[in-house]
Amino acid sequence: MNAREEILTRIRTALQDVPEVAPEVDVPVEWEYHRATRTEGVLDLFVERVEDYKAAVVRANSGEVPGRIVEALNAHDVHSVVLPAGLDPTWRAALEASEIEVRDDTPLDRAQLDTTDAVVTAACVGAAETGTIFLDHRPDQGRRALTLVPDMHVCVIRADQVVSDVPEAITRVAPSVRENQLPVTMISGGSATSDIELSRVEGVHGPRTLHVVLVQD
Amino acid sequence: MTLVHRQSTIPVAGPPAPRYEGPNRRTPAPPAGELVDSPGFPTAARRELDLPVQRGNLHQAMTTIRTKRQQCVSELDHWEELRLAGEAIKNRTLRHLDSYLVQLEENLTAAGATVHWARDAAEANRIITGLVKEALADEEVHYDGTGVVGDEVVKVKSMVTQEIDMNEALEAAGVAAWETDLAEIIVQLGHDRPSHFLVPAIHRNRAEVREIFLAEMGTYGKPAPPDLDSEPRNLAGAARLHLREKFLRAKVGISGANFAVADTGTLVVVESEGNGRMCLTLPQTLISVVGVEKVLPTFDDLEVFLQLLPRSSTAERMNPYTSMWTGPTGGDGPEKMHVVLLDNGRSRVLADRIGREALRCIRCSACLNVCPVYEKVGGHAYGSVYPGPIGSILTPQLRGTTSAVDRSLPFASSLCGACFEVCPVRIPIPELLVYMRNQVVESKKAEAKSKPGMPFLAHGEPAAMTGAAWMMADSRRWSAATKGVGLSGRILGKADHLGPMPWPLSKWTNARDVPIPPQESFRSWYKRERGGGSR
Amino acid sequence: MATKPGEGMRVALFATCANDVMFPDTPKAVLSILERLGCSVEFPEKQTCCGQPFANTGYFDETVPVVRNFVDAFGGYDYIVGPSGSCVGAVREQHEMLAEHAGDAGLARDVSLVAPHVYDISEFLVNVLNVTDVGAYFPHKVTYHPTCHSIRVAKVGDAPMRLLQSVKGITVLDLPDSDRCCGFGGTFAMKNPDISTAMAADKARHVAGTGAEYLVAGDNLCLLNVSGVIARQGGGVKPIHLAEILASTEGSAA
């Protein structure tokens, strides 16, 4: 028997006591999936919870977004920024008009990314309760390395992308996985560790600065 | 119907990889010897109790995380519903594991990943070593001023790769496996072993970390800055720089998985620092080692576990980064993906209708953090990569109950029950500890039977337990035995307490006074006062 | 009181083996409280032990006859009341498992008839008799340690605290980290004496810090453990079982 057959045989032998019924019948799960945990104050909670991770959040209307992005990058003394190919052209235009060097992901190799100060992306979903941003890495968010190697991530999320909690967010992001097999990255604040004496340090390997622009018209 | 004595014919976990002890090690050597050969828990615990710095570190850390967890969990008014859902989903998975594994394999393959199956640690390590060698075949080995570069992999923190001692198997094959989690790099550079699931260097304080970084980093890559102080922020900064060069050149990444979703073929890794994302994203080849019990039926089930896990483990609403991937994605991340599905004793645990509940474990470490025994001694006393309450069950389940340490682990608990209260998948840990104690006793009985001249009852504890239980099965024997109560009290006179007494009572009286026994048992008093009871 | 809350109730006193020989004042206290509240109390002499010490050490086969003896001793009573969350919890949580272990369907049936009628004294008073003020008087400062098995196995909840707070003259002081184990754990204290002692020392330190005269709990063996360390360290806090406080009246107060 090869390993696969042998392991499956062992498991089937081990489970001889389990009746031959559908798993859903054998073990019901009393849980209401996809449930919204709140409808009121979702945006305020999202802002509060993201800020809890020591990430900055600014609110803006659509017209203000390009300006807010440039402001944030300038405030962090950013000299170079990589932009995903599908980024909103008005944001790109504002950056190109600024002093900051705009780099396109042609793709950039690891060393080039390592010498790039920041990245600007859109987002896929936000979960208020946990202050989490979901990226499914479509062209407006770029491939995963873009939001990982540069030290600052400016992430623009629309109010209509923010939902109450993890269940709603998983429901929203599911089609990206089921239909398109896209990778998903969940981001809750900047990179952090509590590995030394459980004392939280913001910033280890991922971007040490997360700056969120919440767009609300 | 007797459920508990059914001895499974399914094998226990396989032996770990042979350790490479040669002169040209490429990574810091861990302590000598195999974990399974560790001394019994009481002996190891005494050794650990004698480390005052570690005791202080543990007390501080455990107190902090317990409080944080309590706070974080109390924010959710449906926490108990979530626990019940977590329990049910895992039970559903385990009771139909064969079909979910087949579905997982199908969907992983359809997504472009290659699936391998490993019966035990040795087989897993053979597979992984082969895949690594193949991926690195066209690598040029060169010297870059800090060390030999080329045959190396970067890895995400993973319990299962520790279980199979993968790093040592790779070392023996001439490949350096670099830990990239901050705590793991502290452990690896410190020639040490992890002591906690989640915070493997919890036994170290900042001053110790600084010393390790200053002494060791330069030998294996970018040295720590010479003026490094012991601020956690700066220590993390040193690790960032040291590891960045490894991330930027890595060709192969190795990970575990927190969850493997059967209906989509998605693997999920939950982490904090971004080292996981580096390993999962930057190399060309990714090898993920996944215990067969890690399957979840559907992608939707993640909504339950992504609420349960972070709050139970790091005591946060959400961990900083969670990565999900469903096979390779063109132009983004590794081009080649391998998944090694590992048994290594799990199917044997599954065969035990009582013990199988332990397989629900999602390695959150909440049970360690509330355990008063763990807090006193830390993880090293357990002689296993799985310490604490859940490790005291899982380790003898996976490895069997033959070694001294495995026989002692189920007894490494006061059965206070705090672990069950916090377990996000409601594993009845205290009950399973008692159950495993019975397995140990039964295995000793069986062993005694096979060795003529070594009767089970010739040993102190079996004799005492069997004798006392025999006495308690009949009130006449018990009454007769307790007639003598008060005798010692009368002899000892007027003292309030007894002082130190000879062994084995010394185990109790070394640290505690014992009150003088009463003159008369309740039973005798009742008979005297009330003229005999009913029945 | 017009009619006493326990009037017409026939209660079996489950003394527990440890209290029988080591702490007879505790079952005496239970007897006195229950009779004061109007219950008709019997002490089934056939009783010995709940079997927990053997079961928890892994000796299941050896425990089965002890379980058999327990159901024989207590079968037929509606209320079986004892002064130990740990022993009561063991009856509820372990007897069924042990009967199943033995593959003895008759024993399993007997266990299912007896175990649900077993109560810790605190929950019997609060949840069955619906009293919190049992007419006790105890003019002292005390601190209460909720023992692990009383809260997590027997699940007596806040019953002991409600009873204590209704005692006349008493001052109940908060015990820091009260829900942490004292380190007793039955044979744990013998098998892992060093850790057990370290845990007991923590508990003793917290108890001493409260400034209480008495440490109260619902399990005498936990009290024995902590007070042994306190006594060895020369501390003056005295151990007392909850039932003994509840049995104290203005006439008899300690």
Side-chain angles (χ1 to χ4, degrees):
Chain A
M1 250 194 298
N2 67 27
R4 179 185 187 275
E5 283 166 32
E6 187 171 336
I7 293 170
L8 287 172
T9 304
R10 287 176 186 177
I11 291 173
R12 285 173 188 139
T13 311
L15 292 172
Q16 276 166 348
D17 61 309
V18 177
E20 287 195 26
V21 294
E24 296 77 16
V25 176
D26 180 42
V27 188
V29 176
E30 306 285 330
W31 175 257
E32 188 193 333
Y33 286 85
H34 320 304
R35 183 172 50 169
T37 50
R38 70 172 80 212
T39 49
E40 302 277 302
V42 170
L43 289 181
D44 291 342
L45 184 69
F46 177 74
V47 172
E48 178 201 312
R49 294 289 158 91
V50 174
E51 285 176 342
D52 253 13
Y53 297 120
K54 304 216 172 83
V57 187
V58 297
R59 298 187 189 228
N61 63 41
S62 325
E64 294 166 341
V65 172
R68 291 281 182 272
I69 294 172
V70 176
E71 270 169 36
L73 295 175
N74 282 334
H76 285 85
D77 204 22
V78 162
H79 299 288
S80 56
V81 62
V82 56
L83 302 181
L87 201 70
D88 187 310
T90 63
W91 308 351
R92 170 180 290 269
L95 285 162
E96 279 169 348
S98 75
E99 301 284 299
I100 301 162
E101 180 199 336
V102 172
R103 297 179 180 175
D104 285 315
D105 184 29
T106 46
L108 299 179
D109 65 23
R110 299 182 212 184
Q112 290 168 316
L113 278 178
D114 192 40
T115 58
T116 304
D117 296 335
V119 61
V120 178
T121 72
C124 171
V125 185
E129 186 74 40
T130 59
T132 304
I133 293 166
F134 288 65
L135 305 179
D136 65 358
H137 303 283
R138 288 175 198 266
D140 59 352
Q141 298 150 53
R143 64 194 169 99
R144 286 171 284 173
L146 259 57
T147 45
L148 175 62
V149 182
D151 206 10
M152 180 178 186
H153 179 194
V154 177
C155 185
V156 184
I157 187 165
R158 298 192 315 268
D160 64 16
Q161 292 176 313
V162 178
V163 297
S164 64
D165 200 356
V166 174
E168 270 196 289
I170 290 288
T171 309
R172 285 239 194 150
V173 84
S176 305
V177 174
R178 291 187 189 283
E179 287 152 34
N180 305 99
Q181 299 184 335
L182 294 176
V184 172
T185 305
M186 293 165 57
I187 296 174
S188 306
S191 151
T193 184
S194 300
D195 276 354
I196 299 168
E197 299 176 13
L198 287 178
S199 130
R200 185 176 163 104
V201 173
E202 273 79 22
V204 196
H205 303 294
R208 287 183 282 194
T209 307
L210 172 67
H211 187 96
V212 179
V213 181
L214 174 61
V215 192
Q216 201 177 358
D217 285 316
Chain B
M1 175 181 63
T2 303
L3 299 180
V4 287
H5 293 312
R6 210 158 64 85
Q7 282 301 317
S8 173
T9 52
I10 302 172
V12 295
R19 172 147 301 172
Y20 179 67
E21 310 276 10
N24 298 313
R25 282 192 63 98
R26 316 192 42 164
T27 57
E34 302 297 343
L35 282 171
V36 72
D37 301 325
S38 304
F41 182 79
T43 307
R46 210 167 303 128
R47 178 191 74 208
E48 300 296 319
L49 274 168
D50 280 342
L51 306 171
V53 175
Q54 171 174 292
R55 270 179 78 168
N57 297 347
L58 284 167
H59 175 75
Q60 174 68 29
M62 295 296 107
T63 311
T64 309
I65 198 155
R66 275 202 304 276
T67 315
K68 269 181 71 185
R69 180 203 159 274
Q70 186 51 45
Q71 220 171 338
C72 191
V73 160
S74 65
E75 283 182 8
L76 295 187
D77 50 17
H78 55 290
W79 183 252
E80 291 307 317
E81 281 172 68
L82 274 171
R83 288 179 75 213
L84 286 165
E87 175 186 17
I89 294 167
K90 280 284 181 181
N91 280 348
R92 176 184 285 180
T93 312
L94 291 169
R95 288 169 64 86
H96 302 271
L97 189 58
D98 51 333
S99 54
Y100 287 124
L101 279 172
V102 170
Q103 191 190 8
L104 174 71
E105 180 189 41
E106 255 172 44
N107 286 321
L108 280 169
T109 309
T114 309
V115 177
H116 311 259
W117 298 72
R119 280 167 277 222
D120 56 21
E123 187 165 29
N125 285 326
R126 270 199 307 278
I127 295 168
I128 297 161
T129 308
L131 292 171
V132 170
K133 287 278 183 182
E134 191 186 303
L136 296 175
D138 54 352
E139 272 307 291
E140 256 181 63
V141 176
H142 65 279
Y143 190 77
D144 78 340
T146 57
V148 179
V149 174
D151 283 353
E152 65 177 10
V153 301
V154 287
K155 59 179 296 258
V156 191
K157 189 178 121 43
S158 140
M159 296 306 298
V160 76
T161 56
Q162 282 172 26
E163 178 188 320
I164 62 174
D165 213 1
M166 183 194 75
N167 291 7
E168 288 308 299
L170 287 171
E171 178 76 45
V175 176
W178 291 111
E179 297 291 348
T180 61
D181 170 77
L182 177 55
E184 292 280 13
I185 195 82
I186 294 168
V187 167
Q188 187 175 32
L189 289 174
H191 300 266
D192 200 355
R193 284 204 168 104
S195 64
H196 189 274
F197 289 171
L198 186 76
V199 205
I202 197 130
H203 57 292
R204 298 286 199 187
N205 64 21
R206 57 186 73 188
E208 294 173 288
V209 174
R210 173 179 171 269
E211 273 173 42
I212 291 169
F213 280 9
L214 283 171
E216 300 281 344
M217 275 185 171
T219 312
Y220 302 101
K222 196 176 181 66
D227 58 346
L228 181 66
D229 61 20
S230 56
E231 264 308 300
R233 168 171 309 279
N234 298 330
L235 295 169
R240 175 186 173 95
L241 291 174
H242 178 81
L243 287 171
R244 180 112 344 180
E245 67 173 9
K246 293 192 162 67
F247 289 135
L248 293 182
R249 70 185 180 212
K251 299 283 188 276
V252 180
I254 298 184
S255 81
N258 293 91
F259 308 104
V261 182
D263 78 336
T264 57
T266 304
L267 298 188
V268 182
V269 162
V270 171
E271 55 134 353
S272 293
E273 296 170 11
N275 63 307
R277 293 180 65 194
M278 293 278 180
C279 298
L280 300 171
T281 314
L282 297 182
Q284 285 87 346
T285 300
L286 173 62
I287 303 167
S288 305
V289 190
V290 183
V292 289
E293 85 286 14
K294 290 285 172 191
V295 190
L296 287 183
T298 78
F299 190 80
D300 295 347
D301 293 321
L302 287 174
E303 72 171 59
V304 172
F305 288 93
L306 290 177
Q307 292 189 76
L308 285 172
L309 180 55
R311 284 185 163 86
S312 300
S313 57
T314 47
E316 294 169 297
R317 296 186 186 110
M318 189 59 77
N319 50 291
Y321 297 130
T322 296
S323 297
M324 306 180 186
W325 68 99
T326 311
T329 310
D332 180 353
E335 295 138 29
K336 287 187 184 159
M337 287 188 181
H338 296 274
V339 179
V340 181
L341 296 174
L342 177 75
D343 182 348
N344 206 35
R346 286 161 178 75
S347 55
R348 183 173 184 272
V349 182
L350 195 63
D352 182 333
R353 293 171 198 191
I354 294 170
R356 69 166 63 133
E357 294 201 73
L359 288 179
R360 290 202 295 268
C361 177
I362 56 172
R363 314 285 190 260
C364 71
S365 70
C367 64
L368 278 62
N369 299 339
V370 295
C371 179
V373 175
Y374 177 89
E375 183 181 322
K376 289 293 171 213
V377 297
H380 292 154
Y382 295 79
S384 164
V385 297
Y386 302 113
I390 187 67
S392 300
I393 300 166
L394 262 180
T395 305
Q397 281 183 320
L398 291 170
R399 295 198 303 214
T401 49
T402 48
S403 75
V405 62
D406 289 329
R407 284 183 168 179
S408 69
L409 287 176
F411 297 92
S413 165
S414 67
L415 301 178
C416 81
C419 45
F420 171 73
E421 285 187 330
V422 298
C423 177
V425 287
R426 295 171 49 86
I427 298 169
I429 297 176
E431 286 155 50
L432 291 181
L433 283 166
V434 171
Y435 172 70
M436 288 308 295
R437 291 177 182 189
N438 178 244
Q439 302 275 298
V440 170
V441 168
E442 292 302 325
S443 80
K444 284 183 179 169
K445 279 186 195 167
E447 194 180 277
K449 257 187 204 156
S450 68
K451 283 187 195 162
M454 287 281 286
F456 184 58
L457 290 179
H459 299 271
E461 179 192 290
M465 283 290 148
T466 307
W470 175 82
M471 182 174 69
M472 290 298 192
D474 187 327
S475 61
R476 282 162 302 184
R477 296 174 202 147
W478 171 238
S479 300
T482 55
K483 282 247 165 62
V485 164
L487 185 67
S488 53
R490 284 193 287 276
I491 291 170
L492 288 159
K494 287 182 184 165
D496 281 347
H497 285 87
L498 303 180
M501 296 199 282
W503 190 92
L505 288 174
S506 59
K507 291 184 177 207
W508 179 265
T509 58
N510 276 346
R512 303 171 186 84
D513 282 353
V514 177
I516 301 294
Q519 302 286 330
E520 187 181 35
S521 70
F522 174 78
R523 183 178 300 271
S524 308
W525 172 85
Y526 190 87
K527 198 162 194 150
R528 188 161 55 70
E529 286 285 314
R530 304 284 175 111
S534 52
R535 306 188 188 184
Chain C
M1 277 177 260
T3 42
K4 295 179 174 180
E7 213 73 69
M9 277 187 184
R10 179 167 162 261
V11 176
L13 171 59
F14 167 33
T16 81
C17 63
N19 285 317
D20 184 3
V21 293
M22 294 169 73
F23 309 97
D25 289 346
T26 301
K28 284 181 206 168
V30 175
L31 183 64
S32 130
I33 302 164
L34 293 176
E35 289 183 341
R36 194 162 81 214
L37 294 172
C39 301
S40 148
V41 185
E42 294 170 22
F43 174 72
E45 266 189 26
K46 195 171 166 41
Q47 68 178 283
T48 55
C49 172
C50 65
Q52 181 177 210
F54 322 112
N56 278 1
T57 314
Y59 292 79
F60 287 6
D61 293 345
E62 293 77 0
T63 316
V64 173
V66 185
V67 174
R68 163 57 65 199
N69 183 70
F70 187 92
V71 296
D72 287 351
F74 289 107
Y77 286 100
D78 285 340
Y79 304 104
I80 302 150
V81 178
S84 166
S86 188
C87 305
V88 166
V91 172
R92 291 187 197 153
E93 293 290 314
Q94 287 188 337
H95 282 192
E96 184 190 344
M97 177 275 284
L98 289 162
E100 241 172 72
H101 169 86
D104 184 337
L107 182 58
R109 192 196 55 236
D110 291 346
V111 164
S112 73
L113 293 175
V114 174
H117 298 283
V118 179
Y119 298 90
D120 176 63
I121 177 70
S122 64
E123 50 176 1
F124 180 73
L125 296 174
V126 175
N127 302 335
V128 180
L129 297 188
N130 284 312
V131 289
T132 47
D133 183 351
V134 296
Y137 174 69
F138 197 73
H140 298 283
K141 286 188 284 185
V142 307
T143 191
Y144 169 66
H145 166 57
T147 64
C148 301
H149 287 188
S150 73
I151 51 172
R152 301 197 183 99
V153 187
K155 298 189 171 69
V156 301
D158 62 356
M161 191 52 105
R162 290 173 63 193
L163 289 162
L164 271 181
Q165 282 166 341
S166 306
V167 172
K168 252 172 80 183
I170 203 165
T171 308
V172 185
L173 302 165
D174 273 345
L175 178 63
D177 282 351
S178 64
D179 64 344
R180 303 288 288 161
C181 178
C182 74
F184 173 58
T187 42
F188 173 75
M190 301 295 273
K191 284 182 177 276
N192 287 283
D194 306 282
I195 304 173
S196 172
T197 305
M199 288 161 67
D202 284 355
K203 187 60 76 179
R205 198 180 62 247
H206 286 309
V207 169
T210 63
E213 299 161 70
Y214 288 92
L215 170 64
V216 192
D219 279 285
N220 273 326
L221 290 174
C222 304
L223 283 173
L224 178 74
N225 179 43
V226 182
S227 64
V229 172
I230 294 176
R232 176 62 55 88
Q233 293 171 347
V237 189
K238 288 163 281 193
I240 188 166
H241 193 285
L242 172 68
E244 294 175 37
I245 292 184
L246 299 179
S248 305
T249 54
E250 229 147 336
S252 72

